[in-house]
Amino acid sequence: QVQLVESGGGLVQAGGSLRLSCAPSSRTSRKYATGWFRQAPGKEREFVGAINWRLGEPQYADSVKGRFTISRDNAKDTVYLQMNNLKPEDTAMYYCAGDLASQLPLKTNWHTYDFWGRGTQVTVSS
């Protein structure tokens, strides 16, 4: 099973930016779509965005469209979540997840992903 590792979280002021990274803990030949999810205290885990391993067009939740961008570097086996114009309501633990089926349309339900990272905290102050 693939273990994913997120990094790049932190504390930022509203309007600021962060870039999260997601990579497997060890090299793998497995191909998978990567989804980003977030969970704030007391709330359900929600879909943020996803990208297919074939470098297809990313898909985003309406709440982050125009502010967040997902990209991937297959040579580094890394997926990035660039977050701009951050808002206090973006505060959450952010997780990346892998979908081995890697089919279109990309999955938005966190229950359907095959493996996960442990998360990285993003806190946006007002």
Side-chain angles (χ1 to χ4, degrees):
Q1 189 68 299
V2 179
Q3 177 65 51
L4 299 175
V5 180
E6 304 94 339
S7 61
L11 173 63
V12 64
Q13 288 189 331
S17 299
L18 284 173
R19 189 178 78 159
L20 306 185
S21 299
C22 170
S25 58
S26 57
R27 295 289 291 180
T28 177
S29 60
R30 308 194 81 168
K31 308 300 183 186
Y32 51 90
T34 302
W36 284 98
F37 294 81
R38 65 187 182 185
Q39 188 167 19
K43 294 190 175 181
E44 293 276 328
R45 188 168 299 190
E46 64 172 351
F47 174 76
V48 173
I51 188 168
N52 190 282
W53 73 270
R54 292 181 181 271
L55 297 178
E57 193 69 25
Q59 181 177 334
Y60 302 98
D62 288 343
S63 58
V64 306
K65 276 181 185 175
R67 301 188 297 121
F68 290 12
T69 302
I70 296 175
S71 60
R72 70 182 306 147
D73 183 339
N74 282 347
K76 295 182 179 180
D77 232 359
T78 300
V79 173
Y80 303 99
L81 176 64
Q82 177 68 44
M83 305 185 294
N84 297 330
N85 191 22
L86 282 160
K87 304 176 181 180
E89 51 263 43
D90 294 317
T91 295
M93 184 71 79
Y94 283 71
Y95 300 90
C96 64
D99 169 29
L100 292 170
S102 198
Q103 295 175 346
L104 297 177
L106 296 165
K107 294 174 181 176
T108 61
N109 187 335
W110 69 270
H111 296 277
T112 60
Y113 280 73
D114 299 299
F115 45 87
W116 289 81
R118 295 184 176 182
T120 186
Q121 178 67 37
V122 171
T123 303
V124 184
S125 63
S126 56

